Amino acid sequence: MADISIKGLHKTYPGSTELATNNVSLDVAEGEFMVLLGPSGCGKTTLLRMVAGLDFPDEGSISIGGRDVTYLPPQDRNLSMVFQSYAVFPHRMVRTNIAFGLMMKKVPREEIERKVRWAADLLQLSPYLDRYPAQLSGGQRQRVAVARAIVMDADVLLMDEPLSNLDALLRLDFRAELKKIVQQLGSTTLYVTHDQVEAMSLSDRVAVMKKGQIAQLGSPLTVYEEPADRFVGGFIGSPPMNFLDGRITQQGALEVAGQNTEAPEFLARAAARTGGSPVMVGIRAENIAIAERGTEGSLDAVVEVVEPLGHATLLTVDLGGQTVKVQVPSTVRVSSGDKVGLRFDPAALRFFDTETQLGLTA
Amino acid sequence: MAAPDAPAAARPQLPPARPKGRPPRRSGNSAALLLIAPSIVFMTLLFGWPMVSGILQAFGGPEGLTTANFSRMVQDPYFWSSVGNTLLLIVVMIPIQFVLALAMALLIRAKPRGSSAYFYIWAIPLAVSDLAAGLVWLTVFTDRGYLNSLLASFGLDPVSWLAYDNYPSMFGAVLIAEVWRATSLVFVIVVAGLQSIPKDYEEAAGVFGANFWSRLWHVTLPLLRPSLQTALILRTILAFQTFAVALALTGQNFPLVVGETYRWYTGLQDPNVASALALVVMAVSMVTAVGYLKLLRDQSEAPR
């Protein structure tokens, strides 16, 4: 087990002018589960491939356990990996697939057998050890790929969207299982995904990536509750965070859609000096409550769409021309066309600069 | 139209719609027959009939069927040496060609600068006829050829590369010319095969500690097996038929089996013995192909 230290990685793929990763630095502590999260093309897989040694950076360095591995080939890095396509060797039986890395390391035969049995037990593959991958289902092949990775006792475990080829139900099952296994192993893990739910549920820390850079690095809840910029807030969460055009008046009130509500202290103070400024307001759907129209501190709005989800009801609400998603308990009875009041939870309000889109904090 | 009556009215009309007395199955069969008829005619005329007449000719004689042609064939002083030469050529040439083709294909896969240019250059010999290739190499190996000129320019004595009493150098010349001419076929098949293997497998092997040779041995070659099998069968059968290159380079001095067929047919004017030789080549080719298929059978039963 070891920590990973990534410093100033630049990478451009041949034939492309765009930077796949642009000056990325990241430290993963020993035993930490780090998730790289981002939309496709954000450079998360490139970053993982450079840690694996499958691609080499143009600039910057990577060290694992204090050893500089930037330009070492993958076989000299002592890591293991789960591929998105699984890459389970079709011409090898499950048993030899799982044992592959140990065989390459010339581990004694009894030791290999013991470990294969242990991994097969853990991943419920014992009945399939003497089958070929073509005779397995997608989920089972996935398990073989994970088993092959965990028998290695590698310094670092890398996973490239390992759940993305599974169907939704299987993915949910296996996600929890994966978390349990990795916790048991305690290995340093770097996990790439574009699925924010996966990122939230698995990680110790999330690195949200955008256009080759890390937009925010933090614990899942921090990233969820305090997005560093509009991109992160809009990417994480389902539905994504609402963004409303607003204004801090000179009197220190927050004005949204022509209606006033209370503004936080630090913004009010700044606004008093500058004579008021536009601001982007971010709030999550579950932090908005429905109130009687005209109640103190509520904003007038009209319900447009009602979507019952079972555990909650999702409303699409028109707030003075801006569309807002509101999540209310399923006990709340509203129908489209209802005139309602919206009450924002002041503690959950986030503010972003209208030009840089960066978060504003005290 | 009254809706409730419609089904009842329509029902009696249905059966006549189908032609009577001819079950649909047979009409389907005759359509299929019609569709494959051209290829059946083609195969019968250009493949079946020549083969049958060739077999009959091989066993034919003035007094009906006989094996005399085969004994004449075997008794000919050139026969066993031609068999020996053909086998020696195959045994030495095929491994060289596969190693070369594989190395070239792996180089292309590594995508060095200008790899597509290499591909086309290496594939060029595919388009060169074997006789032309033989003549080109003759200008290299002949007594006053390029090779001897080169030696002379270094102040070395010329060598009679193709002299009948210098067997090793004669064999070497035929070998080099054939390797040059026919490796590209293996190369093209191997490149196509490599392209169908996702890079993930090799990358996974690398991550799990396999170096280049282990990756080649444990991952690339097994996955390439179907392509190698195809190339091996094709190449071996074609190698049994090597003829024009050796003829152009050595004339009669390095006899090969198919060359002997040609000599019996044109020089000695005996089509019966020529057919017997051709039959031997065919039998050996078939046995080899079946042998390869058995030997290289895929153990993982189902492909990916």
Side-chain angles (χ1 to χ4, degrees), chain A residues 12-92:
Chain A
T12 313
Y13 280 109
S16 161
T17 50
E18 221 164 298
L19 282 164
T21 62
N22 183 0
N23 199 14
V24 171
S25 298
L26 181 67
D27 286 298
V28 187
E30 198 169 312
E32 189 178 23
F33 197 124
M34 171 75 79
V35 171
L36 301 175
L37 173 68
S40 50
C42 71
K44 57 191 191 300
T45 296
T46 305
L47 187 57
L48 189 79
R49 288 176 63 86
M50 286 192 285
V51 175
L54 299 172
D55 280 326
F56 295 126
D58 303 332
E59 244 179 79
S61 72
I62 302 166
S63 54
I64 296 176
R67 185 168 67 118
D68 183 8
V69 298
T70 315
Y71 297 105
L72 284 185
Q75 63 264 29
D76 299 336
R77 295 190 180 206
N78 192 23
L79 35 84
S80 66
M81 183 162 171
V82 180
F83 286 75
Q84 183 175 8
S85 64
Y86 312 152
V88 171
F89 305 125
H91 58 290
R92 296 285 188 113

Side-chain angles (χ1 to χ4, degrees), chain B residues 17-202:
Chain B
R18 203 179 275 162
K20 242 188 179 163
R22 204 200 253 179
R25 229 180 184 218
R26 220 180 115 198
S27 81
N29 269 352
S30 69
L33 212 61
L34 202 69
L35 284 170
I36 60 167
S39 46
I40 289 181
V41 171
F42 189 82
M43 292 291 278
T44 315
L45 283 181
L46 295 176
F47 194 80
W49 180 66
M51 193 163 92
V52 170
S53 81
I55 293 172
L56 286 178
Q57 202 163 39
F59 289 100
E63 294 108 31
L65 294 183
T66 168
T67 53
N69 298 322
F70 286 91
S71 30
R72 277 189 74 190
M73 173 186 86
V74 176
Q75 277 154 19
D76 185 80
Y78 282 107
F79 176 73
W80 288 111
S81 74
S82 74
V83 169
N85 286 339
T86 307
L87 290 180
L88 182 68
L89 189 65
I90 287 175
V91 168
V92 176
M93 175 173 63
I94 294 216
I96 294 178
Q97 287 188 323
F98 271 74
V99 169
L100 270 179
L102 201 63
M104 281 149 71
L106 288 172
L107 266 174
I108 296 256
R109 185 169 166 86
K111 290 215 186 330
R113 201 179 284 269
S115 61
S116 57
Y118 287 134
F119 177 80
Y120 287 112
I121 290 170
W122 284 337
I124 283 176
L126 265 185
V128 178
S129 91
D130 44 359
L131 186 60
L135 292 173
V136 168
W137 282 98
L138 184 64
T139 64
V140 174
F141 288 118
T142 191
D143 284 353
R144 286 158 184 263
Y146 293 118
L147 186 54
N148 277 340
S149 311
L150 192 72
L151 288 181
S153 71
F154 286 117
L156 297 169
D157 287 332
V159 179
S160 275
W161 300 103
L162 301 172
Y164 72 96
D165 55 353
N166 194 353
Y167 187 84
S169 82
M170 199 165 61
F171 174 73
V174 174
L175 180 71
I176 290 172
E178 262 303 284
V179 165
W180 178 85
R181 187 186 71 79
T183 301
S184 50
L185 175 72
V186 184
F187 165 68
V188 168
I189 295 174
V190 171
V191 166
L194 273 181
Q195 275 169 353
S196 70
I197 303 174
K199 276 219 158 174
D200 286 13
Y201 294 122
E202 267 176 75

